Amino acid sequence: MDKLKKLEILSDAAKYDVSCSSSGSNRKNKKDGLGNTSTAGICHSWSDDGRCISLLKILLTNYCVYDCVYCVNRSSNDLPRAIFTPEEVVDLTINFYKRNYIEGLFLSSAVFKSPDYTMELILKVVKTLREKENFNGYIHTKTIPGADDLLVEEVGRYVDRMSVNIELPSENGLKLLAPKKTKKDILKPMGFIHNNILQTKEDKKIFKATPNFVPAGQTTQMIVGATEDNDLNILNLSESLYKTLNLKRVYYSAFIPVSTNPKLPVINSPPLVRENRIYQADWLLRFYNFEAKELLDERNPNFDLELDPKCNWALRNIHLFPVEINKADYKTLLRVPGIGVRSAKRIISARNFTTLDFFDLKKLGIVLKRAQHFITCKGKYFGFNDINPEIIRSQIITPYKNGKDTRQISMFDNVSFEDKWMEIGGEI
Amino acid sequence: MISYIYDGSFDGLLTSIYEAFYAKEKPTDIIREEDFRENFLVEKGYIKTDSEKARKVYSAIENKISPESLRRVFYAYLSELPDSGMIILRYLQVGFKIGSDVDLNLANEDVLNMDKISRLVGKERHRITGILRFKKIKEEILYARVEPDHNIIALVAPHFKERLKGENFIIHDTKREIGVFYNKKEWIVKDIERLDPFLVKDSEEIYEDLWRTYFKAISIQTKTNPKLQKRNMPMRYWKYLTEKNI
């Protein structure tokens, strides 16, 4: 099979993996080396679905010994299969990198022959790239659940980021859809990577020359909407992953039906709005000091699809508003719907020089559509006469409903342009 | 009404700033010679570039305001936007009053305008580090064409030098007819009126096909979203984009 055909099959098979980030590492180039990494990450292109392309994201092979129901590569699925040699992956990476197509490589794989065998192939790729080719660009690899710890550790010395996909947010979900994967199989390597990262950090304090171990940290991914799990379950899981295993990011992917197995739910289109709401909530956990239990509870275990999680929280806690823009501290400002991290910082910095009024906020580029209902400037309130959650709610959601918002993307009927942008910019 | 007209160099701009600070009648415009349009109402004040005056302004900004402020001024200059000269002048007037904290004073319109314009250039610099595409031409040279809104090729040169230190490369700004040339040791910016057609012959190549194949295969068809794609990667940059220019 020629390289072109292989690449087509094995990138097609990798596309459902959401992560494509190249951030978090500041690997320097070496003498006579090729490449380095940029801490903020760099997007090199955007595919037709609008997602950023930063890395060459491919599977080493899509031949799989497992038969997970939700997965497109399951062994019982009738589709073209291919396998790259490690040399081919190295060649593609180097030549794509030199032409500035990519920041580096994101290598994953189906389980070929055995977890250890597959992990050894991955090791061969990253070792060749780093040692033989002196390549210092970004490398992200998957660990194969069930692979030997020693292999995972060795790969970790060469790469910038590693990830183990949780896939389904509960043990029941796994039992139903991925019977060969257990919670233990997944959490064990995550814990192992976490401990190694901590250990390396400690060692570095004593010996500066301690080799790196996964300097950009680990991430994971789970599928939303393939099982009965509600948003509260998912968010609680993410929160504990951030807290206990110190994950850099949890990615979510709306379930796209790739088979008609009776164990899977029947849906017409992927739950993209729900996915978006969970991303927004995830952002609130990581950058806005929110806790999962503030956003959802047993009585309301799922997000309102018409309203972003922060607005929703604010309307349920309307007694905390309005806040005075010229007095509120940073943490309070961050909790105002429509004011993101950047806006809050700009407000804090500008008000050292002058008392801000409503027009100053506009000049600072702060989007007031939502914020106006929750703030005062110099004591003056700019929303309606009365702070009434019902009225505010109808004000905030109507523009999306009556179709006047021309920037709207038809696929995301309830999602505004700003909502979609948040995923990237994080201004909520 | 007097318009300062300078030669387009950074030194020329700084000289204009120097003159403006000491002039009785302040300029209403500071503009590059090539952007100037004759206007009956406007008096023309040609500024002769003076490297000594420029140096004074340069170090005054760096020392009395901040190195960050100097960076912003330089970025605003590279924006090549017609109103950049006056934005810089007004910003510096505030800057010399406030000092190193000037950039925090975002409620001030002049500071805000500077913030916007320098951010615009910084944003494009970052964007070009991603969407610039090299192709291998004769003599194993990596050659890229770009047409950025702002004059940023010298800003991206150090980035590529660090990454591709073992390669020879050329980054050709076809709009401004200038190019960054790197020879595995150092880079310079030179005028390019016409590149040897023998060199730019479109010989590439298997990797371009592979990249286009990858680009197509990595998209999820059920999520196709051209609007989002264009917002992230505006169409004006597609001209030299291997995957979009077939």
Side-chain angles (χ1 to χ4, degrees):
Chain A
M1 192 185 296
D2 75 341
K3 233 199 253 178
L4 215 64
K5 188 73 199 159
K6 279 190 190 178
L7 181 63
E8 193 178 342
I9 294 172
L10 293 172
S11 48
D12 189 79
K15 71 185 174 190
Y16 295 106
D17 221 295
V18 187
S19 165
C20 195
S21 152
S22 57
S23 57
S25 188
N26 64 342
R27 191 178 290 274
K28 302 272 186 297
N29 202 353
K30 292 184 183 145
K31 191 169 176 286
D32 304 320
L34 171 70
N36 60 10
T37 65
S38 143
T39 313
I42 296 175
C43 287
H44 284 255
S45 191
W46 281 266
S47 54
D48 292 338
D49 52 19
R51 292 189 302 167
C52 152
I53 301 176
S54 179
L55 304 171
L56 169 63
K57 181 163 56 178
I58 45 173
L59 298 193
L60 197 59
T61 178
N62 62 345
Y63 285 106
C64 197
V65 294
Y66 292 157
D67 198 27
C68 306
V69 174
Y70 63 89
C71 178
V72 69
N73 299 318
R74 64 189 178 282
S75 56
S76 63
N77 198 15
D78 180 23
L79 87 172
R81 305 271 169 175
I83 181 165
F84 271 129
T85 63
E87 293 74 26
E88 284 171 325
V89 176
V90 169
D91 178 70
L92 275 174
T93 309
I94 296 289
N95 279 293
F96 276 14
Y97 192 88
K98 279 187 182 170
R99 285 159 183 80
N100 204 39
Y101 300 161
I102 52 169
E103 278 299 285
L105 173 68
F106 179 2
L107 186 61
S108 177
S109 184
V111 182
F112 181 61
K113 289 190 185 169
S114 74
D116 279 351
Y117 187 85
T118 315
M119 203 66 195
E120 274 169 26
L121 289 176
I122 291 178
L123 175 62
K124 189 160 182 219
V125 172
V126 298
K127 201 171 171 174
T128 312
L129 275 171
R130 291 285 193 236
E131 289 188 344
K132 195 165 152 247
E133 302 289 336
N134 202 353
F135 174 73
N136 302 300
Y138 201 89
I139 303 181
H140 176 172
T141 56
K142 281 288 186 46
T143 65
I144 305 300
D148 194 276
D149 283 353
L150 284 172
L151 284 168
V152 175
E153 191 184 344
E154 203 176 348
V155 170
R157 300 270 164 221
Y158 294 108
V159 302
D160 296 282
R161 173 166 281 179
M162 270 185 144
S163 56
V164 186
N165 281 2
I166 285 194
E167 308 292 13
L168 299 162
S170 69
E171 191 145 29
N172 286 340
L174 282 175
K175 264 189 201 140
L176 185 69
L177 301 179
K180 282 200 184 165
K181 291 185 183 168
T182 62
K183 194 169 118 187
K184 199 177 135 253
D185 278 352
I186 293 164
L187 292 181
K188 205 187 102 203
M190 289 176 106
F192 179 76
I193 294 168
H194 176 58
N195 289 336
N196 265 288
I197 292 174
L198 291 182
Q199 187 62 47
T200 304
K201 270 192 190 144
E202 285 302 311
D203 291 352
K204 267 190 187 279
K205 283 181 194 159
I206 304 164
F207 304 107
K208 228 185 146 195
T210 305
N212 276 329
F213 185 86
V214 195
Q218 61 172 329
T219 62
T220 191
Q221 169 175 331
M222 54 184 115
I223 299 165
V224 173
T227 53
E228 302 278 300
D229 300 291
N230 60 32
D231 296 349
L232 179 60
N233 294 146
I234 293 172
L235 213 59
N236 276 333
L237 177 58
S238 303
E239 187 171 69
S240 64
L241 288 170
Y242 288 131
K243 279 188 180 158
T244 58
L245 293 175
N246 207 1
L247 257 71
K248 279 289 179 298
R249 271 196 78 171
V250 177
Y251 290 92
Y252 310 90
S253 99
F255 171 65
I256 297 167
V258 287
S259 91
T260 51
N261 190 294
K263 288 176 182 169
L264 289 171
V266 179
I267 55 171
N268 294 327
S269 61
L272 294 174
V273 180
R274 186 176 170 207
E275 175 199 287
N276 191 44
R277 293 287 174 242
I278 294 175
Y279 266 115
Q280 291 173 330
D282 181 271
W283 233 276
L284 294 177
L285 297 184
R286 287 185 299 139
F287 301 118
Y288 291 75
N289 293 309
F290 276 90
E291 289 183 30
K293 63 174 189 251
E294 291 180 276
L295 299 171
L296 294 169
D297 53 44
E298 295 299 336
R299 274 178 305 149
N300 301 296
N302 287 304
F303 287 113
D304 187 336
L305 294 181
E306 288 182 337
L307 205 60
D308 71 82
K310 197 182 184 188
C311 266
N312 208 350
W313 170 84
L315 291 178
R316 280 189 285 115
N317 293 280
I318 201 74
H319 59 280
L320 301 173
F321 296 99
V323 298
E324 169 58 42
I325 282 294
N326 291 294
K327 291 203 182 109
D329 60 15
Y330 178 68
K331 280 188 172 171
T332 312
L333 284 177
L334 272 187
R335 293 197 161 218
V336 176
I339 296 184
V341 173
R342 197 176 139 227
S343 299
K345 284 186 179 157
R346 285 168 85 90
I347 290 170
I348 300 256
S349 124
R351 74 186 186 191
N352 283 331
F353 293 86
T354 170
T355 319
L356 301 173
D357 62 26
F358 204 64
F359 297 101
D360 290 327
L361 291 185
K362 273 197 172 161
K363 273 196 295 186
L364 287 177
I366 286 149
V367 184
L368 293 162
K369 194 158 94 184
R370 276 168 294 180
Q372 62 176 343
H373 301 288
F374 302 94
I375 55 170
T376 57
C377 298
K378 300 183 185 174
K380 206 157 173 242
Y381 181 61
F382 286 87
F384 293 90
N385 304 337
D386 183 21
I387 299 200
N388 178 329
E390 287 301 312
I391 295 175
I392 295 176
R393 185 189 151 88
S394 68
Q395 281 302 311
I396 295 173
I397 63 173
T398 22
Y400 311 148
K401 270 193 169 169
N402 61 20
K404 271 185 194 155
D405 192 335
T406 51
R407 297 165 304 180
Q408 209 181 90
I409 307 151
S410 59
M411 275 192 65
F412 302 95
D413 276 343
N414 290 315
V415 185
S416 72
F417 161 71
E418 290 143 30
D419 280 4
K420 206 52 211 161
W421 184 251
M422 272 178 223
E423 238 183 82
I424 307 147
E427 295 279 317
I428 306 185
Chain B
M1 299 237 296
I2 178 162
S3 281
Y4 283 4
I5 300 165
Y6 69 101
D7 59 5
S9 69
F10 191 49
D11 271 3
L13 173 78
L14 294 179
T15 309
S16 312
I17 301 287
Y18 182 95
E19 302 296 352
F21 266 92
Y22 290 102
K24 267 202 195 105
E25 189 194 352
K26 301 295 174 195
T28 49
D29 205 359
I30 298 176
I31 197 152
R32 299 188 304 167
E33 202 166 357
E34 57 177 294
D35 291 334
F36 183 72
R37 300 280 167 273
E38 286 290 343
N39 181 342
F40 178 68
L41 295 173
V42 168
E43 190 190 332
K44 290 182 280 189
Y46 283 99
I47 302 295
K48 197 166 157 289
T49 300
D50 178 328
S51 59
E52 184 51 29
K53 287 176 182 168
R55 196 193 54 75
K56 278 184 183 157
V57 176
Y58 186 99
S59 60
I61 300 173
E62 194 172 22
N63 300 323
K64 291 186 180 155
I65 309 177
S66 68
E68 163 63 13
S69 172
L70 183 60
R71 185 194 67 80
R72 288 184 185 221
V73 169
F74 186 55
Y75 272 41
Y77 158 74
L78 291 177
S79 78
E80 297 187 344
L81 293 172
D83 52 353
S84 58
M86 283 310 283
I87 289 178
I88 292 169
L89 176 63
R90 293 206 186 96
Y91 164 79
L92 287 175
Q93 284 168 338
V94 185
F96 285 123
K97 261 183 222 148
I98 297 184
S100 63
D101 280 346
V102 60
D103 295 318
L104 299 176
N105 190 2
L106 287 166
N108 181 302
E109 206 155 341
D110 300 322
V111 178
L112 191 65
N113 284 333
M114 174 54 99
D115 187 67
K116 278 184 190 155
I117 196 168
S118 60
R119 199 181 286 277
L120 211 59
V121 175
K123 212 168 143 186
E124 190 177 49
R125 189 208 80 91
H126 179 77
R127 177 176 260 155
I128 297 294
T129 60
I131 62 177
L132 177 138
R133 299 282 177 266
F134 286 111
K135 62 165 71 197
K136 268 229 166 102
I137 56 171
K138 297 281 155 61
E139 319 287 346
E140 289 290 298
I141 295 170
L142 293 168
Y143 171 71
R145 277 177 292 192
V146 282
E147 240 180 57
D149 297 342
H150 312 296
N151 189 1
I152 50 89
I153 56 167
L155 296 180
V156 300
H159 169 85
F160 287 108
K161 180 199 161 176
E162 193 43 41
R163 296 199 154 186
L164 303 170
K165 49 169 113 171
E167 309 287 324
N168 292 305
F169 66 75
I170 301 171
I171 299 170
H172 183 181
D173 181 337
T174 52
K175 195 152 115 192
R176 293 171 185 80
E177 297 184 325
I178 53 173
V180 166
F181 292 76
Y182 173 72
N183 64 356
K184 302 190 187 178
K185 279 196 208 82
E186 54 191 0
W187 60 271
I188 50 163
V189 179
K190 275 204 305 198
D191 285 345
I192 304 182
E193 268 172 36
R194 213 165 56 90
L195 209 70
D196 188 346
F198 169 74
L199 277 178
V200 288
K201 209 178 117 218
D202 285 319
S203 57
E204 288 262 77
E205 110 195 282
I206 174 72
Y207 291 106
E208 295 197 327
D209 286 340
L210 284 164
W211 173 243
R212 288 189 195 107
T213 304
Y214 174 73
F215 181 78
K216 228 175 119 193
I218 203 67
S219 171
I220 297 177
Q221 283 82 20
T222 48
K223 288 188 179 181
T224 298
N225 191 342
K227 271 190 187 167
L228 185 62
Q229 182 186 38
K230 283 176 192 159
R231 191 161 56 237
N232 287 323
M233 187 166 72
M235 283 177 81
R236 64 179 186 279
Y237 295 109
W238 290 14
K239 189 168 164 191
Y240 297 128
L241 210 59
T242 314
E243 61 271 29
K244 277 294 178 190
N245 163 36
I246 300 166

